Amino acid sequence: TGVEGLIAAAQSRLGCPYVRGAKGPNSFVCSGFVYWCLKEMGLKVKRRTSAGYAEEEDWTKITRMSELQPGDLVFFRTGDNENINCVCIYMGANRMIYPSTSKQAVIVTEINSYWTNAFQWARRVF
């Protein structure tokens, strides 16, 4: 399915370096990571910022973390940013994958209280 393919594409990039502005295939910023993964699935998407993808009205908006499903794009406002500045791909089992600025690589992470507090909404692409 689209969800399984999206997660497989994302996992194939584990360990690739975080590079500001990069959109793959060997280095990424979070919005570039989503762009690359969606294109790998054959979707015709424009390259956008995290906030730009958050506003994509063709994808169902999910407003509660408890309703997340694998493959959902999850949007966060981290640090003292006023706007959405981070997008991750939800993998299920309370885990998500994204290029981390602190780890400087694509990683899988648990959704902890930091992420819960930064959560804005999600979008269901598939």
Side-chain angles (χ1 to χ4, degrees):
T1 68
V3 169
E4 290 160 349
L6 180 67
I7 291 171
Q11 288 178 310
S12 77
R13 304 288 89 197
L14 273 172
C16 286
Y18 169 91
V19 175
R20 189 176 175 96
K23 61 181 194 285
N26 298 312
S27 59
F28 300 94
V29 69
C30 62
S31 58
F33 182 66
V34 164
Y35 172 76
W36 184 87
C37 291
L38 292 174
K39 282 189 60 125
E40 283 294 293
M41 294 306 305
L43 294 178
K44 298 201 181 322
V45 290
K46 291 184 174 137
R47 173 71 171 94
R48 299 182 177 180
T49 64
S50 297
Y53 287 123
E55 298 302 326
E56 179 52 66
E57 293 182 359
D58 288 343
W59 302 333
T60 303
K61 189 174 189 176
I62 311 300
T63 56
R64 287 193 204 90
M65 288 193 102
S66 62
E67 295 174 1
L68 291 177
Q69 293 180 8
D72 287 350
L73 304 182
V74 192
F75 300 95
F76 300 94
R77 197 173 72 211
T78 62
D80 49 9
N81 287 284
E82 293 183 13
N83 300 312
I84 286 172
N85 65 325
C86 181
V87 56
C88 303
I89 299 172
Y90 186 67
M91 300 174 67
N94 205 43
R95 297 176 316 139
M96 59 189 185
I97 185 169
Y98 76 110
S100 166
T101 54
S102 62
K103 304 285 190 215
Q104 291 292 297
V106 175
I107 64 164
V108 173
T109 192
E110 295 279 326
I111 297 175
N112 57 24
S113 60
Y114 171 82
W115 293 109
T116 302
N117 291 332
F119 175 76
Q120 299 300 298
W121 62 81
R123 293 277 181 186
R124 187 154 298 146
V125 180
F126 297 102

